[in-house]
Amino acid sequence: MPRWRAAVGTLAAFLLGGASMIAVSRRLHGASEQAREVAERRVRELSERLELTGPMLDDVTERRRLTELELELDAARADLEVEHQALQMFQRAMLPAELPRVGSVDLSAVYLPTAERIDIGGDWYDAFLLPDGRLALAVGDVTGHDLRAATVMGQVRNAVRAYATEHPDPGAVLSRVNTLLARLPELDLVTMLYGVYDPVCHELVWSNAGHPTPLLRRGDTVTILTMEGGLLLGVIPDGEPYPEHRLRLGPGDSVLWYTDGIVDHRSIDPVEALERLCRAYARARGGAGGLLGSVSADMLIDGQGEDDVCLLALRRAPEPDNALLAGGVPTATDADTETDTDTETDTETDTGTRTTVCRSR
């Protein structure tokens, strides 16, 4: 029986509540590593044999052997694909099944795995209600592309929920997660944006631990929120500060949080890729879900990137007087689109600046 069948059975036990995440991660790690090594080695061997055998087909026996090799190669690739799907199921099981619904908050998030690799990454997102009625948000990325990264992702997500319930201030939550990771026996580095949104006063407070900078869309203008942040989580055990920043969202305003897979492309300069993301965000229309759909369609070829991607958009619903036109396109005359005059009053920060990148054209 192929080893990946054991991995799938173990995963099923976890999803049905019959095994702990730690037990599953250990068993899956061993099964997945062995299955991948065996299947990848078999694919390489068969591919090399096909290259050597192909030009030497002189009789029926050799042609039959070539057919057998091709079938074996297809079977080895199928093993890799099944294992990849099992690992993705494991990762998705640790993401929230649904996002909370709060008043005028329009919230959407997506996880877009790459199809090019058999392994999985540590990209993740989360959103949950705090005891006081505010909304906690997180987007993060664990270094590495293996089951270890996915397991650490689950541990970090659970730690954030626990710490936020006790003391939800973003700077404090990131500091506690940093201390936790830095004291683990293995070096695990994590980038993360964590914030708290108040749906009553429409204020977002967040801190950044080495993560790509968030974006603000106000009207058709997209702004990079280039404020001061802290180091990646897990580098220094104690004393690393994570400054907090505040932003008040106006009607129709939205923020976009993302992992670096959306802007990391071998053929594109990172600065240019970020500018492309800003333009795509500025052009997008509709609610939070529509914004993410448009952005991912513009940035990813055939819906696939070179790395896993997480996107999270939070949008404050427009006021009744600023109702959307039919089809979900905001009116061009809404006061929401005027950002130059209210930048200082709407955004409060101790340090850092906001740099407007582009407007929708």
Side-chain angles (χ1 to χ4, degrees):
M1 180 178 68
R3 291 187 176 92
W4 58 261
R5 293 188 185 277
V8 173
T10 302
L11 174 62
F14 168 68
L15 296 178
L16 295 174
S20 70
M21 186 185 77
I22 295 177
V24 168
S25 66
R26 287 174 178 169
R27 291 164 64 186
L28 269 179
H29 182 71
S32 65
E33 288 299 314
Q34 292 175 4
R36 181 167 66 251
E37 290 175 3
V38 171
E40 288 180 343
R41 183 170 60 251
R42 188 62 174 152
V43 167
R44 288 195 301 270
E45 292 173 352
L46 293 175
S47 297
E48 291 172 358
R49 291 172 64 184
L50 282 173
E51 291 179 1
L52 294 174
T53 307
M56 302 169 58
L57 300 180
D58 296 329
D59 55 37
V60 175
T61 301
E62 290 181 345
R63 284 197 294 272
R64 183 181 298 115
R65 182 53 184 157
L66 175 62
T67 301
E68 293 173 355
L69 288 174
E70 290 174 336
L71 291 175
E72 290 183 46
L73 182 59
D74 290 342
R77 286 172 174 160
D79 282 357
L80 288 174
E81 177 59 27
V82 171
E83 185 212 358
H84 184 46
Q85 292 176 3
L87 292 175
Q88 284 189 0
M89 288 174 62
F90 176 69
Q91 186 177 32
R92 289 181 184 277
M94 291 185 286
L95 296 175
E98 60 182 8
L99 300 178
R101 299 180 180 179
V102 184
S104 62
V105 178
D106 182 10
L107 182 66
S108 184
V110 293
Y111 166 64
L112 305 170
T114 179
E116 293 184 358
R117 285 197 313 266
I118 188 62
D119 53 17
I120 55 177
D123 298 52
W124 61 282
Y125 66 85
D126 200 8
F128 54 95
L129 287 176
L130 296 169
D132 60 10
R134 291 183 297 167
L135 180 64
L137 307 168
V139 170
D141 189 1
V142 181
T143 56
H145 292 90
D146 53 20
L147 191 60
R148 170 71 184 177
T151 303
V152 172
M153 176 266 287
Q155 295 170 337
V156 169
R157 173 179 175 266
N158 291 338
V160 168
R161 286 192 170 225
Y163 296 153
T165 300
E166 296 177 0
H167 187 42
D169 290 355
V173 169
L174 290 186
S175 292
R176 296 182 70 179
V177 174
N178 175 64
T179 299
L180 171 68
L181 289 172
R183 292 178 177 173
L184 291 178
E186 295 188 46
L187 179 62
D188 296 297
L189 302 179
V190 179
T191 69
M192 189 193 313
L193 280 170
Y194 169 73
V196 176
Y197 180 72
D198 190 328
V200 176
C201 66
H202 312 294
E203 183 181 65
L204 176 65
V205 183
W206 82 95
S207 293
N208 189 342
H211 200 78
T213 54
L215 304 179
L216 166 69
R217 174 171 163 167
R218 177 161 291 159
D220 287 337
T221 300
V222 171
T223 300
I224 304 175
L225 301 176
T226 53
M227 283 86 170
E228 179 186 6
L231 290 176
L232 280 72
L233 303 174
V235 177
I236 300 177
D238 299 298
E240 174 63 19
Y242 292 95
E244 295 181 354
H245 307 287
R246 298 176 182 272
L247 170 69
R248 192 178 303 277
L249 297 182
D253 289 353
S254 64
V255 291
L256 176 65
W257 291 5
Y258 54 94
T259 55
D260 57 7
I262 196 71
V263 291
D264 279 354
H265 301 278
R266 289 187 291 261
S267 60
I268 303 177
D269 177 79
V271 174
E272 180 184 348
L274 181 57
E275 292 174 352
R276 283 184 55 195
L277 175 61
C278 291
R279 291 193 294 269
Y281 187 26
R283 288 192 300 266
R285 293 292 181 265
L291 296 176
L292 296 187
S294 295
V295 167
S296 59
D298 279 0
M299 296 295 295
L300 304 177
I301 300 175
D302 297 327
Q304 296 290 336
E306 297 177 3
D307 196 0
D308 294 350
V309 173
C310 278
L311 301 173
L312 182 146
L314 182 147
R315 179 173 178 265
R316 178 183 171 185
E319 298 292 353
D321 291 341
N322 295 333
L324 294 178
L325 295 172
V329 181
T331 61
T333 58
D334 287 346
D336 304 347
T337 61
E338 299 181 7
T339 63
D340 296 338
T341 59
D342 59 5
T343 296
E344 295 298 325
T345 58
D346 281 354
T347 304
E348 303 170 14
T349 62
D350 297 327
T351 61
T353 60
R354 292 185 359 190
T355 305
T356 300
V357 174
C358 61
R359 293 178 184 269
S360 175
R361 292 191 293 271

